[in-house]
Amino acid sequence: MKKFIAGALAFATALTVLTGCGGAASSSTAQTSGSTAAGSTAAGSTASGEQQVLKVATWDYTSNPSVSNSVKAFEAANLNIKIEILDIPSTDYNTKLNVMLNGGSDLDAYFIKDASSTYDLYKKNQLLDLTDYIEADGVDMSAYNGTDTPFNIEGRQYGMPVRTDYYVLFYNKDLFDAANMEYPSNDMTWSEFEDLAMQISEAADCYGAYFHTWQACVQNWGVQDGEHTIMDYDTNYDFFKPYYEMVLRLQDAGAIQEFGELQSGNIHYSGAFAAGNVAMMPMGTWYMATIAESIKNGEANLKEWGVATLPHPDNVSAGYTVGATTPIVINPASQKQDLAWQFVKFMSGEESANEYAKVGAIPGRLNDEILALVQEQEGMPEGLAEALKVENIVADRPIQESVTEVNDMLGQEHSLIMLKECSVDEGLANMGARAAEILK
């Protein structure tokens, strides 16, 4: 596999965070809390020495070792603090979290599942301003390589990055070996990807690629260059067009499965790739641990797999990708904000980052050492650390008002295009008109 020579690891964000319209936690509250945090001597200690409890909300906790291991590490380092986890199923998380926050819950801190909902939480005064805590404790925000930027609203920091995931290219080494073809490289354009998918499909009698039914698996490549977002409706979304045309060509050639078949069969990407008849699949880094475990347990029909850097548009260099960051925040209604900050700082810190890397997850605090640690984990493929090096992570959805409504609409129109119920041009024009109506 061709070597991917990356420059210094640096993340940039393509987000333009809109000016908030009220509802933010007052800076005076954060300033008071920040000075208290700086002057505390023992996290969690009380006059009586009793253990204090912090209530923290997250999702699928028991099946998420990256979070649970980090929580255990925090408790081991802070014996006077007990973390009470409110474990909510992922499908219900956003709804139940909103109910708790709107009802004045005594929740101290929580993870945000969908980063794009941050702006709505900010408007509803459900995010504590962390800026003064950060300054008082001298937290080096450059360590987050820009993944912190989306959670900086009007110059104040409201969330700390804990985990980041971004798209890479998974590939089946068995199929490439059988066809006597070179593996995908870390510097490949989408045009080259399409050609390779066509070639391997014929040579190995397999699907050359797999595109999941999410609109992100087409539309993300349109915002990959960092010049556009899904809110740029005034262009009639012409930046999506090359990628819809590419995927439809592959579908017509039989090099990928039909969208309608995937949708009606409710086929999941993990099962499709693990079946062993898909050569390449653009998917998020969250899938690495899953496929490694499937192969280890004998549940997959492939033995050797690899990861390459996501293919890139012709007008940008290799290493540009699209992703999202999971932040942790503090509830302004918490009566234990200082203690909550100690937990938030730990979960977004170096020790927690190591715990994430040890289970193959990508932390928000990312560097060469962390990537090397991910590479060392059991079942991870050769060359992974090089493939994971990126120059720029563009947020799949910007943090601004009405982004959820626009994203939902784009998903509806995406299905119509992929099912050929309208042409690409008609579908993109509908996207532009409907987004304009939403944002009017």
Side-chain angles (χ1 to χ4, degrees):
M1 185 175 65
K2 291 163 61 181
K3 294 281 288 180
F4 170 47
I5 303 175
L9 181 64
F11 292 102
T13 179
L15 299 182
T16 300
V17 182
L18 298 187
T19 302
C21 50
S26 66
S27 60
S28 60
T29 301
Q31 289 168 355
T32 302
S33 300
S35 60
T36 303
S40 62
T41 57
S45 61
T46 64
S48 60
E50 294 178 356
Q51 189 178 57
Q52 296 200 64
V53 177
L54 284 176
K55 293 185 178 182
V56 179
T58 188
W59 63 93
D60 297 347
Y61 180 73
T62 56
S63 59
N64 194 343
S66 55
V67 179
S68 58
N69 290 350
S70 293
V71 169
K72 292 174 184 176
F74 173 81
E75 290 180 327
N78 299 270
L79 298 178
N80 289 331
I81 305 177
K82 172 65 178 175
I83 303 301
E84 179 183 320
I85 295 292
L86 282 71
D87 187 9
I88 303 172
S90 59
T91 53
D92 301 327
Y93 185 75
N94 289 340
T95 300
K96 291 189 176 181
L97 179 64
N98 283 333
V99 170
M100 287 192 294
L101 293 174
N102 294 336
S105 169
D106 58 352
L107 190 66
D108 296 300
Y110 60 96
F111 291 83
I112 297 179
K113 185 173 183 289
D114 296 320
S116 58
S117 66
T118 301
Y119 190 75
D120 289 336
L121 293 166
Y122 164 77
K123 288 199 304 179
K124 292 190 291 184
N125 193 25
Q126 293 171 342
L127 302 175
L128 182 71
D129 185 349
L130 305 178
T131 308
D132 293 297
Y133 279 118
I134 292 168
E135 293 176 354
D137 284 357
V139 178
D140 180 11
M141 299 301 286
S142 67
Y144 300 102
N145 303 295
T147 57
D148 58 301
T149 306
F151 314 108
N152 189 294
I153 304 175
E154 295 186 323
R156 310 293 292 184
Q157 194 72 29
Y158 290 90
M160 295 294 286
V162 177
R163 174 172 179 158
T164 189
D165 282 290
Y166 48 90
Y167 279 81
V168 293
L169 183 67
F170 292 84
Y171 61 92
N172 184 328
K173 288 185 176 181
D174 297 340
L175 292 176
F176 279 93
D177 290 342
N180 196 28
M181 294 176 62
E182 291 188 4
Y183 301 144
S185 79
N186 290 325
D187 186 356
M188 182 168 61
T189 66
W190 281 110
S191 296
E192 292 169 337
F193 165 86
E194 181 181 357
D195 290 341
L196 184 58
M198 294 286 195
Q199 294 168 19
I200 187 73
S201 178
E202 294 184 5
D205 190 22
C206 66
Y207 290 114
Y210 175 90
F211 287 89
H212 196 47
T213 54
W214 300 331
Q215 75 255 37
C217 291
V218 178
Q219 295 175 7
N220 272 0
W221 325 143
V223 302
Q224 189 178 352
D225 59 8
E227 296 182 4
H228 301 285
T229 78
I230 66 168
M231 305 300 278
D232 291 348
Y233 65 92
D234 55 341
T235 65
N236 271 347
Y237 293 102
D238 58 356
F239 47 92
F240 290 159
K241 184 174 181 177
Y243 305 102
Y244 274 110
E245 292 177 339
M246 174 188 71
V247 174
L248 289 172
R249 282 194 299 267
L250 288 168
Q251 183 172 272
D252 290 343
I256 64 173
Q257 288 177 271
E258 293 272 348
F259 178 89
E261 293 177 2
L262 298 175
Q263 193 177 61
S264 62
N266 198 26
I267 297 175
H268 195 265
Y269 64 85
S270 60
F273 188 76
N277 64 339
V278 169
M280 298 181 289
M281 180 178 72
M283 188 49 62
T285 49
W286 60 80
Y287 181 57
M288 297 188 304
T290 301
I291 186 60
E293 188 69 14
S294 296
I295 293 173
K296 176 184 175 181
N297 295 336
E299 299 169 350
N301 292 328
L302 70 154
K303 296 180 180 178
E304 298 292 334
W305 60 290
V307 171
T309 307
L310 186 71
H312 58 90
D314 293 335
N315 62 331
V316 301
S317 61
Y320 272 63
T321 186
V322 184
T325 298
T326 300
I328 187 170
V329 300
I330 296 176
N331 181 8
S334 169
Q335 300 300 307
K336 303 173 183 176
Q337 294 176 5
D338 292 348
L339 290 182
W341 165 246
Q342 295 302 317
F343 178 68
V344 167
K345 183 171 70 170
F346 182 92
M347 292 300 293
S348 56
E350 186 171 354
E351 189 171 348
S352 177
N354 288 334
E355 295 295 337
Y356 272 69
K358 288 176 184 176
V359 295
I362 308 295
R365 179 183 287 263
L366 187 59
N367 51 45
D368 287 344
E369 290 73 22
I370 292 294
L371 291 179
L373 188 56
V374 173
Q375 170 84 73
E376 292 171 6
Q377 302 314 301
E378 182 181 2
M380 293 300 170
E382 181 181 355
L384 178 64
E386 283 297 315
L388 291 177
K389 288 184 177 181
V390 292
E391 290 187 10
N392 189 47
I393 297 180
V394 178
D396 56 354
R397 286 169 287 177
I399 295 175
Q400 65 186 72
E401 197 165 11
S402 300
V403 69
T404 300
E405 292 87 343
V406 170
N407 188 66
D408 290 344
M409 175 275 296
L410 293 177
Q412 296 165 12
E413 294 295 334
H414 168 76
S415 294
L416 297 177
I417 293 175
M418 293 304 301
L419 291 169
K420 295 186 177 181
E421 295 186 13
C422 67
S423 69
V424 173
D425 288 335
E426 289 170 340
L428 297 180
N430 290 339
M431 290 179 187
R434 292 183 63 185
E437 184 65 26
I438 292 170
L439 298 170
K440 184 172 61 177

